[in-house]
Amino acid sequence: MEKRGISKLDLKRRNRMQILRVIRESGPISRVDVASALEITRAAVTIITNEMIEEGVLVEIGEAPINAEKLQKGRRKILIDINVNSKFALGATVDEKEVSIGLTNLNADILDKSSMVIDERTTSKDIISFIIQKSNEMMENACLSKDKVIGLGIGVVPSMWGKLKIFYKDGVLDFSNFIDKVSSGVEIDVRCGNAIGLMALASNDFRTGNNNGHPSMYNGTQINQAFLHNGNQVNLAIVNKNFLSPDYVSYTYMIEKYIVNPGGKSYEGYPDGSVKAEISRTAMINSILEIFSKDKTPVLYELTEGDKSKINMDNVFMALMRGEEPVKNVVDDIICKYTMLINNIAISHFAQKIILHNYKLNEKQFDYVKREMIRLVGEDIADRVILSKLEGKNDFIGGCALVIMDNFYTKGGM
């Protein structure tokens, strides 16, 4: 009978991966506290981390600060952290209106970026050519050899899968055709995924609640986050304790079937009162168009010069702030339905943070939305809602997050 077990190389990679995970979530941290968090010997941690320091994966950053309440005897702990400039990552995101691409270090600090506006006339060949061209330019401009770049991660929003010939195969998204075409032009590892999930992962703060590396608080840093994307489709991804929930890897758009207004508006293929029918981007615009006229909404009509195509978030909120009652009623109704959706997401997924992405709200507009949410569901839920830091030309960081996770952390920095 054949015996199988874990190889020494796999064990080494696993140990390094676990050490990197602790440092990522709780660093800078001492070797002693890494050992305590992982429940392995200090000697083993010292051997592994010293090797990783020699390779340039980790770096010593000095002594731990003095704790005035707990004065230590003997030598102070030496803190270690990830050397974020040991490797670099390329990332790209393809959505309905834009292709964004950029270069970052392991901490997702942006070193270079570029973007291309697209529309229905843009071909898949145009998109692939742009990604290849800019990837090679960025590596060359940064004087980076191919071995210093861990890969190119590409996120594609669900509504663009058809254009790029990305389809389901045996229930799983098959990016192989797309990857092959890009790989032939960049000569580095190419990874692809659902852009919504990748941007959710990139939005995650791995060190939320960090307590200066104290292992007793280690588990407290891991929280659930919901990432709600507004585009031609509404999409939802869940980051569960620092990992993307597998249920939302491919089917992020299923959130459109949620009901936010029982017995409400209809949309073919969806239940009445669904997210798709009530609060998708198209549905929200249609709600404004239903009241839009020179007589009913004179302020909005003036702001848009009577042109329906000029109706946008800024004009709608400007009309609301100037006391246009019909506009306020529609906006408040939309906020009410969104609040119901957010409340259900927060409760069903135990989400401590709900990130809104691509909603195009400025600070004043978001304050108005939050006040309405507080009125409807109270501060506990409303205070969990924040705006995404990944907007437009920085969406490519989602792709960087994919290759950093797959080709650095999962491989133990090897």
Side-chain angles (χ1 to χ4, degrees), residues 68-112:
E69 296 177 2
K70 254 186 187 179
L71 289 176
Q72 268 182 264
K73 292 182 180 179
R75 187 180 174 188
R76 282 161 59 187
K77 297 176 182 178
I78 301 298
L79 300 181
I80 57 175
D81 206 346
I82 295 164
N83 180 3
V84 297
N85 292 312
S86 61
K87 296 288 183 179
F88 301 88
L90 282 161
T93 290
V94 182
D95 67 23
E96 303 98 344
K97 296 182 178 181
E98 189 174 63
V99 180
S100 64
I101 183 166
L103 175 71
T104 74
N105 62 12
L106 296 175
N107 196 42
D109 298 321
I110 298 170
L111 307 177
D112 198 357

Side-chain angles (χ1 to χ4, degrees), residues 228-230 233-236 252-253 255-256 275 279-280 338:
L228 203 56
H229 168 82
N230 182 39
Q233 293 176 328
V234 178
N235 281 261
L236 172 70
T252 58
Y253 53 86
I255 187 67
E256 291 195 313
V275 166
I279 53 175
S280 65
Y338 249 107

Side-chain angles (χ1 to χ4, degrees), residues 6 17 92 250 287 399:
I6 186 168
M17 179 181 70
S250 299
S287 295

Side-chain angles (χ1 to χ4, degrees), residues 52 193 236 309 317:
M52 294 171 79
L236 172 70
S309 67
F317 267 92

Side-chain angles (χ1 to χ4, degrees), residues 153-209:
I154 306 173
V156 184
V157 298
S159 56
M160 292 295 288
W161 292 346
K163 172 166 276 194
L164 297 178
K165 295 180 173 56
I166 298 164
F167 305 108
Y168 287 102
K169 186 177 181 180
D170 299 326
V172 179
L173 279 174
D174 182 11
F175 289 92
S176 57
N177 180 58
F178 180 65
I179 288 175
D180 288 344
K181 291 178 179 177
V182 177
S183 296
S184 65
V186 294
E187 298 178 354
I188 56 175
D189 185 51
V190 177
R191 304 276 170 137
C192 287
N194 183 343
I196 312 305
L198 303 187
M199 289 188 289
L201 193 62
S203 298
N204 187 43
D205 184 358
F206 287 88
R207 291 184 177 177
T208 298

Side-chain angles (χ1 to χ4, degrees), residues 386-399:
I386 64 171
L387 292 178
S388 172
K389 295 178 181 178
L390 301 182
E391 289 294 347
K393 293 177 175 57
N394 289 344
D395 286 349
F396 65 83
I397 295 177

